[in-house]
Amino acid sequence: MIDRRNFPRLDAHAFWRPVGFIARQRPVVDMSLGGMRIYGDERVRVDDQFEVELMFDGEGTIEVLARVVRVDALRGKKPAAFDIALEFVDVPKEARKRLADRLRAAAQRSEVRENEDQREDVESVEDGHGEEDLLQATPGVLVTRSPNRKRQVRKKDGDEKDLLHRGEISSEASRTRSRKTKRESKGRLSILFVTPYLPSPPRFGGQMRLHGLMSGLASRHDVSVLSLVDANTAHAEESVRATAEYCSNVATVPNGRGSEGGATKRLLQLGSLLSPRSYEWLVHHHADFEKALADALEQRHYDVVSFEFAHMAAYGAAARRKNGTAFVLDEHNIEYDLVRQTSRPGTSLLRRAYSAVDWRKIRAEELRAWTRLDGCTLTSERDEKMLLADAPSTRTAVVPNGVDVERFRPSDPPITPTPGSLLFFGAIDYHPNTDGLQFFLNDVLPLLTSSSSPDMPDVKLSIVGRRPPPEILAHAGPAVEITGAVDDVRPHIERAAVVVVPLRLGSGTRLKILEAMAMGKAVVATTIGAEGLDVVPGRDLLIADDAESFARQIRKLLDNPALAAEIGAAARRLVTERYTWRSSVDRLVHFYEEILEARASS
């Protein structure tokens, strides 16, 4: 396949949906004039029609109807992945000039880059190249001429109608070699992570993402971290030592408000109602940290500064950066959407009232970060589309959560799960986890324990994770084991017959699902719990959204260990193919390079 980074980019975000199907729109991946990659249904065929929505910075959207003229399936991708060529069938008359101008601008930008970077003459596709030869050299063409029409590359004359049918494509289409960009030739990057907590050793989801990405980057680049640390935790020194194993510099600032819980936390939240800032911003904002960041940027040049979460990105607004430094936000979730979900019916009146105020503040803070920083990474396509709906000019990339597939793997020889054993693991004091567990303990577990019979093993749920609140601890008993935090969750996963993820609130993607799947475990999750992961229900995991269905799916797996093993094996295959930290790090580095190149050329 030709590397799409060498083709002219169309300056737009794109989403697609097959005509005639009731399905959510999905973002286009790796879109350029040289091709378009999509993930979708195995039935994508030539002559299928797609609704394509193009979102242009500052100019609104264009909705077009397009026909598939070529499909190249990518082997080994789950779900199915395709490079496709499209011919526009219907473009609104009022949008033709706008779209043609964008095509022309993309091709012209590519010419300038080649003249500067490659010092080569622009080549054109020779008349001897037939339709099949051209498309073979170019796996997908976002905008193409009608099938029987000849074309030359980068022809600049012609009206909008000709451009829309003929298309413009980089001379890379007639070449088979790949070339490096200016930033790629630089090699090693210097990256500073600005974080609300240290990443290692990873004990909960946010730490796991940071640890996976930072340690992966550190194998090829220079990585430093400036972090708040919980002044009251017993793990502070251990975290500094563990992080220093791969970071060239670890700097910390104590955060006395980071570990507050219970009544103290509630008082802080109540006080935040009187502030224009969100509770999350107030907890993480310190003048000492602002000074430490200013000193770090003054003393050393960094290619990239990555702010973790929008409340940490607020420090970027006051920071003075040197020329060439890119400021990037990593959104683990769309935070305002997560809090907004708790303002809806189904939660306590007090929480609903508080969240109704707080999510609007968080949204304003996230919007500031999205529009003022150089780019934003997200964990899922769903989160990316939500961001672009609010801030279409933001440069984005999906960098999925991953898993260490060598550390999280089925034991050899395999260990037989304990019959009837269920497992939930994660940060139990994290509200979406607390809410999901309450749903499971109050509504699902009684259905399983009441249906037991003498020839069936008793069902027992193990809850593994930090700081279980009183409302969860109250359920401890013969059918519920609560361990608290553990040093290594893998033995608990190994012993479990089924891993449950009964979340009713959420954003981003769930690392607990990926870790369980990597160990070959069958997972039962809600739709929200599995949201953002490219899983096939019934093959990679089971889905249920109400108590009766959830209990039924669990019982199906407990009664049929062979089915549980089959689903676990498929889950392991999916994770090793799609969700390794190495692949996520590769995507992140490419995004950094893209941003740095854009800053260098601006």
Side-chain angles (χ1 to χ4, degrees), residues 197-219:
Y197 41 72
L198 288 170
S200 304
R203 293 185 174 88
F204 55 90
Q207 279 188 316
M208 291 170 189
R209 178 171 174 84
L210 279 175
H211 176 87
L213 293 177
M214 290 173 63
S215 61
L217 286 167
S219 66

Side-chain angles (χ1 to χ4, degrees), residues 49 55 104 149 171 177 237 252 274 306 364 383 432 462 569:
Q49 292 196 345
M55 301 175 65
R104 188 181 292 108
R149 186 180 299 182
S171 60
R177 66 185 182 275
E237 292 185 6
T252 61
L274 305 177
S306 177
D383 284 7
S462 292

Side-chain angles (χ1 to χ4, degrees), residues 226 228 252-257 281-296 311-312 314-315 318-319:
L226 171 62
L228 291 167
T252 61
V253 174
N255 181 14
R257 298 190 290 266
W281 187 95
L282 293 172
V283 167
H284 295 95
H285 186 75
H286 295 268
D288 289 346
F289 194 89
E290 191 171 304
K291 183 178 185 304
L293 177 59
D295 291 344
H311 48 260
M312 299 304 293
Y315 286 107

Side-chain angles (χ1 to χ4, degrees), residues 78 115 146 193 263 270 275 306 326 336 372 376 398 431 487 532 591:
K78 302 291 184 179
N115 289 334
S146 57
F193 280 82
L270 184 61
S275 168
S306 177
Y336 86 79
R372 295 180 183 179
C376 180
V398 174
H431 178 67
D487 292 330
F591 187 59

Side-chain angles (χ1 to χ4, degrees), residues 9 41 76 117 123 131 279 343 384 400 424 455 462 476 478 582:
R9 290 180 59 85
D41 193 281
D117 299 344
E123 301 175 4
E131 171 71 11
Y279 165 78
S343 69
E384 182 182 45
F424 179 94
D455 59 341
S462 292
R582 179 167 183 171

Side-chain angles (χ1 to χ4, degrees), residues 249-327:
N249 184 54
V250 178
T252 61
V253 174
N255 181 14
R257 298 190 290 266
S259 62
E260 299 295 352
T264 303
K265 179 180 179 179
R266 297 292 177 262
L267 286 173
L268 286 172
Q269 289 175 322
L270 184 61
S272 73
L273 293 176
L274 305 177
S275 168
R277 297 287 191 174
S278 70
Y279 165 78
E280 290 73 15
W281 187 95
L282 293 172
V283 167
H284 295 95
H285 186 75
H286 295 268
D288 289 346
F289 194 89
E290 191 171 304
K291 183 178 185 304
L293 177 59
D295 291 344
L297 296 178
E298 178 64 30
Q299 294 165 7
R300 179 178 177 182
H301 172 77
Y302 292 98
D303 295 302
V304 177
V305 178
S306 177
F307 297 91
E308 304 299 312
F309 303 98
H311 48 260
M312 299 304 293
Y315 286 107
R320 295 181 60 185
R321 53 173 151 176
K322 297 180 180 179
N323 290 338
T325 299
F327 279 9

Side-chain angles (χ1 to χ4, degrees), residues 493-555:
I493 299 175
E494 280 186 324
R495 291 193 294 268
V498 178
V499 174
V500 297
V501 186
L503 301 188
R504 300 185 295 183
L505 309 169
S507 180
T509 57
R510 259 52 67 190
L511 281 148
K512 60 175 68 68
I513 291 183
L514 295 177
E515 290 176 345
M517 293 172 73
M519 293 190 69
K521 290 297 174 179
V523 175
V524 179
T526 57
T527 300
I528 287 179
E531 192 171 49
L533 298 175
D534 285 320
V535 292
V536 176
R539 184 193 69 186
D540 305 316
L541 82 178
L542 298 183
I543 296 290
D545 290 315
D546 60 78
E548 292 76 11
S549 299
F550 213 102
R552 188 164 54 249
Q553 297 284 46
I554 292 172
R555 180 57 69 188

Side-chain angles (χ1 to χ4, degrees), residues 32 209 253 255 359 365 397 407 414 518:
S32 71
R209 178 171 174 84
V253 174
N255 181 14
W359 78 257
E365 291 164 4
R407 184 168 185 267

